[in-house]
Amino acid sequence: MSQAPAILSNHPKGLVERTDFFRVDATRKLDPIRRTTLGQFLTPPPVARLMASMFKKRREHIKLLDAGAGVGVLTAAFVEEMTRRKNKPASVSVTAFEIDPLLTEYLTETLALCRVECEKAGIKFHAEIVCEDFIESAVNQLNATLFTPTASKFNCTVLNPPYRKINSDSRTRQLLRTVDIETSNLYTAFVALAARLLDSDSELVAITPRSFCNGPYFKPGRRLPR
Ligand SMILES: C[S@@+](CC[C@H](N)C(=O)[O-])C[C@H]1O[C@@H](n2cnc3c(N)ncnc32)[C@H](O)[C@@H]1O
């Protein structure tokens, strides 16, 4: 990772702009083939902020899932939004899944900046980076708790999932079938799994193509099993 300029720790425009330095720096370094395979198209600040503003419910304790977190701009926008609210949460706990170690380096820095902002606002902050395949990890978790349900881990999730077809005979597809998810694209798999990891009074904000809403192609994906 390139050295972040000192100004980043105190950028007048806020946390999201500071994180945007990471987005630009990381995008320069991403391998083009890997970028397509992993759907590494990182969200620009205005979109991240719009998404954060869509979380409406005031919660005392927030447990946020960011699956396919990239450099962490969605979490940064979420944290910025919470720290600016009049009625702030008491705590924010983030679990960020990101499979690419190049991006988790930046993500670590983003979460450190989030911690500083939360501390300034009097919000307790906890963060965990999981550098694993989100599909595999979520499926394992759902299967493990099938007969012994434990308390749900998350009450908010923010996603810009990777968009890529999944072959019908692939391991990913087989894993998804073990939790009754039948879908042909990674993005619907991410949304379905994230929804399953939420408790009943939760909020999910995701970037998805419009094709999710109509037509037969994503019909199984729209019927999310609980
Ligand atoms: C569309 S990008 C969005 C990144 C970030 N959320 C943002 O909004 O800028 C999708 C991200 O998911 C990651 N990813 C792809 N497949 C993954 C998997 N199976 N498990 C975890 N992360 C994955 C990619 O490396 C990439 O960073």
Side-chain angles (χ1 to χ4, degrees):
M1 184 179 145
S2 307
Q3 190 65 44
I7 194 174
L8 285 186
S9 59
N10 225 346
H11 194 293
K13 280 193 178 164
L15 184 56
V16 180
E17 273 71 21
R18 279 177 261 159
T19 310
D20 201 41
F21 169 81
F22 302 144
R23 179 179 72 98
V24 174
D25 200 44
T27 303
R28 261 191 322 117
K29 292 184 191 159
L30 290 171
D31 170 69
I33 295 172
R34 192 167 161 79
R35 193 176 178 202
T36 307
T37 315
L38 292 176
Q40 293 174 322
F41 299 94
L42 309 181
T43 310
V47 179
R49 281 216 170 95
L50 175 68
M51 292 171 77
S53 73
M54 289 175 178
F55 287 89
K56 295 298 176 209
K57 184 165 175 173
R58 198 264 161 193
R59 295 168 201 280
E60 187 68 0
H61 299 290
I62 292 174
K63 293 177 285 177
L64 177 73
L65 167 66
D66 185 346
V71 303
V73 66
L74 300 184
T75 290
F78 182 94
V79 165
E80 185 184 86
E81 171 79 22
M82 294 306 140
T83 55
R84 287 179 175 178
R85 284 192 179 169
K86 220 166 99 191
N87 208 353
K88 300 180 195 359
S91 69
V92 174
S93 171
V94 177
T95 304
F97 281 85
E98 175 49 59
I99 203 165
D100 187 341
L102 188 145
L103 294 177
T104 57
E105 272 193 51
Y106 295 92
L107 185 54
T108 304
E109 295 297 317
T110 298
L111 293 175
L113 292 172
C114 289
R115 175 180 299 283
V116 172
E117 287 308 300
C118 279
E119 280 168 2
K120 278 197 230 157
I123 299 171
K124 258 178 84 177
F125 184 78
H126 175 264
E128 179 189 9
I129 295 176
V130 187
C131 190
E132 286 175 14
D133 178 354
F134 171 66
I135 304 265
E136 182 150 0
S137 186
V139 166
N140 287 343
Q141 196 183 323
L142 290 170
N143 280 327
T145 55
L146 192 60
F147 299 110
T148 50
T150 51
S152 282
K153 260 186 107 175
F154 307 108
N155 52 24
C156 293
T157 183
V158 67
L159 310 167
N160 177 5
Y163 183 96
R164 185 170 55 80
K165 285 210 172 195
I166 323 171
N167 291 333
S168 58
D169 54 354
S170 64
R171 181 174 140 68
T172 302
R173 207 61 186 264
Q174 284 163 20
L175 276 172
L176 290 166
R177 285 188 188 122
T178 67
V179 289
D180 294 329
I181 295 173
E182 192 61 66
T183 184
S184 53
N185 200 293
L186 265 187
Y187 90 83
T188 30
F190 266 61
V191 173
L193 289 168
R196 293 270 290 274
L197 294 174
L198 294 173
D199 69 27
S200 57
D201 183 30
S202 301
E203 289 168 283
L204 181 155
V205 176
I207 297 180
T208 63
R210 275 184 309 170
S211 58
F212 179 64
C213 305
N214 52 34
Y217 184 55
F218 285 110
K219 202 167 179 184
R222 286 198 295 274
R223 287 204 213 99
L224 302 180
R226 290 294 303 175

